[in-house]
Short mmCIF file of all heavy atoms in Angstrom, two decimals:
data_model
loop_
_atom_site.label_atom_id
_atom_site.label_comp_id
_atom_site.label_asym_id
_atom_site.label_seq_id
_atom_site.Cartn_x
_atom_site.Cartn_y
_atom_site.Cartn_z
N ASP A 362 125.83 104.08 88.93
CA ASP A 362 126.24 102.89 88.20
C ASP A 362 125.15 101.84 88.01
O ASP A 362 125.26 100.97 87.16
CB ASP A 362 127.45 102.23 88.88
CG ASP A 362 127.17 101.83 90.31
OD1 ASP A 362 126.36 102.51 90.98
OD2 ASP A 362 127.75 100.84 90.78
N HIS A 363 124.07 101.91 88.77
CA HIS A 363 123.03 100.89 88.62
C HIS A 363 121.66 101.45 88.23
O HIS A 363 120.71 100.70 88.12
CB HIS A 363 122.89 100.08 89.93
CG HIS A 363 122.10 100.78 90.97
ND1 HIS A 363 122.61 101.79 91.73
CD2 HIS A 363 120.81 100.63 91.35
CE1 HIS A 363 121.67 102.23 92.55
NE2 HIS A 363 120.57 101.55 92.34
N LEU A 364 121.57 102.74 88.01
CA LEU A 364 120.28 103.34 87.67
C LEU A 364 119.92 103.07 86.21
O LEU A 364 120.78 103.03 85.34
CB LEU A 364 120.31 104.85 87.93
CG LEU A 364 120.60 105.27 89.37
CD1 LEU A 364 120.62 106.78 89.48
CD2 LEU A 364 119.59 104.68 90.35
N LYS A 365 118.63 102.91 85.97
CA LYS A 365 118.15 102.69 84.60
C LYS A 365 118.36 103.94 83.75
O LYS A 365 118.19 105.06 84.23
CB LYS A 365 116.65 102.38 84.62
CG LYS A 365 116.29 101.00 85.06
CD LYS A 365 114.80 100.80 84.87
CE LYS A 365 114.38 99.41 85.19
NZ LYS A 365 112.94 99.23 85.04
N ASP A 366 118.69 103.73 82.50
CA ASP A 366 118.83 104.85 81.58
C ASP A 366 117.52 105.60 81.43
O ASP A 366 117.52 106.81 81.18
CB ASP A 366 119.31 104.36 80.21
CG ASP A 366 120.78 103.97 80.22
OD1 ASP A 366 121.52 104.42 81.12
OD2 ASP A 366 121.18 103.21 79.32
N SER A 367 116.39 104.92 81.60
CA SER A 367 115.09 105.58 81.46
C SER A 367 114.86 106.63 82.54
O SER A 367 114.02 107.52 82.37
CB SER A 367 113.96 104.54 81.48
OG SER A 367 113.95 103.84 82.71
N ALA A 368 115.60 106.57 83.64
CA ALA A 368 115.46 107.57 84.70
C ALA A 368 116.25 108.85 84.40
O ALA A 368 115.98 109.90 84.97
CB ALA A 368 115.92 106.99 86.03
N LYS A 369 117.19 108.77 83.48
CA LYS A 369 118.07 109.91 83.20
C LYS A 369 117.34 111.16 82.70
O LYS A 369 117.61 112.24 83.20
CB LYS A 369 119.17 109.50 82.21
CG LYS A 369 120.10 108.45 82.73
CD LYS A 369 120.88 108.95 83.92
CE LYS A 369 121.83 107.88 84.41
NZ LYS A 369 122.44 108.24 85.67
N PRO A 370 116.42 111.05 81.74
CA PRO A 370 115.74 112.28 81.29
C PRO A 370 114.99 112.98 82.43
O PRO A 370 115.00 114.20 82.53
CB PRO A 370 114.76 111.78 80.22
CG PRO A 370 115.35 110.50 79.75
CD PRO A 370 116.03 109.90 80.94
N PHE A 371 114.36 112.18 83.30
CA PHE A 371 113.65 112.76 84.43
C PHE A 371 114.58 113.53 85.34
O PHE A 371 114.35 114.70 85.65
CB PHE A 371 112.94 111.64 85.22
CG PHE A 371 112.49 112.06 86.58
CD1 PHE A 371 111.32 112.79 86.73
CD2 PHE A 371 113.22 111.74 87.71
CE1 PHE A 371 110.90 113.19 87.99
CE2 PHE A 371 112.81 112.14 88.97
CZ PHE A 371 111.64 112.86 89.11
N ILE A 372 115.66 112.91 85.77
CA ILE A 372 116.57 113.56 86.71
C ILE A 372 117.29 114.72 86.05
O ILE A 372 117.52 115.75 86.68
CB ILE A 372 117.55 112.56 87.37
CG1 ILE A 372 118.18 113.15 88.63
CG2 ILE A 372 118.60 112.09 86.41
CD1 ILE A 372 117.24 113.40 89.76
N ASN A 373 117.62 114.60 84.77
CA ASN A 373 118.28 115.71 84.07
C ASN A 373 117.35 116.91 83.94
O ASN A 373 117.80 118.06 84.06
CB ASN A 373 118.79 115.27 82.71
CG ASN A 373 119.99 114.34 82.83
OD1 ASN A 373 120.70 114.35 83.83
ND2 ASN A 373 120.20 113.52 81.82
N LYS A 374 116.08 116.66 83.69
CA LYS A 374 115.10 117.75 83.61
C LYS A 374 115.01 118.47 84.95
O LYS A 374 114.97 119.69 85.01
CB LYS A 374 113.74 117.20 83.19
CG LYS A 374 112.71 118.24 82.91
CD LYS A 374 111.44 117.60 82.36
CE LYS A 374 110.41 118.65 82.03
NZ LYS A 374 109.17 118.08 81.52
N PHE A 375 115.01 117.70 86.02
CA PHE A 375 114.97 118.30 87.36
C PHE A 375 116.23 119.10 87.64
O PHE A 375 116.17 120.23 88.11
CB PHE A 375 114.77 117.20 88.41
CG PHE A 375 115.03 117.67 89.81
CD1 PHE A 375 114.22 118.61 90.41
CD2 PHE A 375 116.09 117.16 90.54
CE1 PHE A 375 114.46 119.05 91.70
CE2 PHE A 375 116.34 117.58 91.83
CZ PHE A 375 115.52 118.53 92.42
N LYS A 376 117.38 118.53 87.32
CA LYS A 376 118.65 119.20 87.61
C LYS A 376 118.81 120.49 86.81
O LYS A 376 119.44 121.43 87.29
CB LYS A 376 119.83 118.26 87.29
CG LYS A 376 120.06 117.18 88.29
CD LYS A 376 121.25 116.33 87.82
CE LYS A 376 121.79 115.43 88.88
NZ LYS A 376 122.95 114.66 88.41
N THR A 377 118.25 120.53 85.60
CA THR A 377 118.40 121.70 84.74
C THR A 377 117.76 122.94 85.35
O THR A 377 118.33 124.03 85.33
CB THR A 377 117.79 121.43 83.35
OG1 THR A 377 118.46 120.30 82.80
CG2 THR A 377 117.93 122.61 82.43
N ASN A 378 116.55 122.79 85.89
CA ASN A 378 115.86 123.93 86.47
C ASN A 378 114.93 123.43 87.58
O ASN A 378 113.76 123.16 87.34
CB ASN A 378 115.07 124.69 85.41
CG ASN A 378 114.51 126.00 85.92
OD1 ASN A 378 114.33 126.20 87.13
ND2 ASN A 378 114.21 126.91 85.01
N LYS A 379 115.48 123.29 88.77
CA LYS A 379 114.74 122.73 89.90
C LYS A 379 113.47 123.51 90.20
O LYS A 379 112.41 122.93 90.43
CB LYS A 379 115.62 122.68 91.15
CG LYS A 379 116.73 121.69 91.08
CD LYS A 379 117.55 121.72 92.36
CE LYS A 379 118.72 120.76 92.26
NZ LYS A 379 119.48 120.70 93.51
N GLU A 380 113.58 124.82 90.23
CA GLU A 380 112.44 125.66 90.58
C GLU A 380 111.28 125.47 89.60
O GLU A 380 110.13 125.28 90.01
CB GLU A 380 112.85 127.13 90.62
CG GLU A 380 111.77 128.05 91.15
CD GLU A 380 112.26 129.49 91.27
OE1 GLU A 380 113.42 129.70 91.68
OE2 GLU A 380 111.47 130.40 90.94
N ALA A 381 111.56 125.49 88.32
CA ALA A 381 110.52 125.30 87.30
C ALA A 381 109.94 123.89 87.37
O ALA A 381 108.73 123.71 87.23
CB ALA A 381 111.07 125.59 85.91
N PHE A 382 110.78 122.91 87.59
CA PHE A 382 110.32 121.52 87.66
C PHE A 382 109.34 121.35 88.82
O PHE A 382 108.27 120.77 88.65
CB PHE A 382 111.51 120.57 87.82
CG PHE A 382 111.12 119.13 87.72
CD1 PHE A 382 111.12 118.49 86.49
CD2 PHE A 382 110.77 118.41 88.85
CE1 PHE A 382 110.75 117.15 86.40
CE2 PHE A 382 110.40 117.08 88.77
CZ PHE A 382 110.39 116.44 87.54
N VAL A 383 109.69 121.86 89.98
CA VAL A 383 108.82 121.75 91.16
C VAL A 383 107.51 122.49 90.91
O VAL A 383 106.43 121.96 91.20
CB VAL A 383 109.54 122.27 92.43
CG1 VAL A 383 108.58 122.39 93.60
CG2 VAL A 383 110.70 121.35 92.79
N LYS A 384 107.58 123.67 90.34
CA LYS A 384 106.38 124.44 90.04
C LYS A 384 105.46 123.66 89.08
O LYS A 384 104.25 123.59 89.28
CB LYS A 384 106.76 125.79 89.43
CG LYS A 384 105.59 126.70 89.17
CD LYS A 384 106.05 128.05 88.61
CE LYS A 384 104.87 128.90 88.28
NZ LYS A 384 105.28 130.18 87.69
N ASN A 385 106.04 123.07 88.05
CA ASN A 385 105.26 122.28 87.09
C ASN A 385 104.63 121.06 87.75
O ASN A 385 103.50 120.69 87.43
CB ASN A 385 106.12 121.86 85.90
CG ASN A 385 106.44 123.01 84.98
OD1 ASN A 385 105.73 124.01 84.94
ND2 ASN A 385 107.52 122.88 84.24
N MET A 386 105.35 120.43 88.65
CA MET A 386 104.81 119.26 89.35
C MET A 386 103.62 119.66 90.22
O MET A 386 102.60 118.97 90.24
CB MET A 386 105.88 118.57 90.19
CG MET A 386 106.89 117.78 89.39
SD MET A 386 106.19 116.48 88.34
CE MET A 386 105.37 115.45 89.55
#
Side-chain angles (χ1 to χ4, degrees):
D362 59 329
H363 80 282
L364 300 179
K365 283 186 176 179
D366 286 339
S367 61
K369 296 296 181 189
F371 165 80
I372 197 66
N373 289 337
K374 187 174 182 181
F375 167 66
K376 284 179 166 182
T377 301
N378 189 338
K379 291 180 182 183
E380 187 176 320
F382 187 89
V383 170
K384 184 178 177 182
N385 288 337
M386 286 302 301

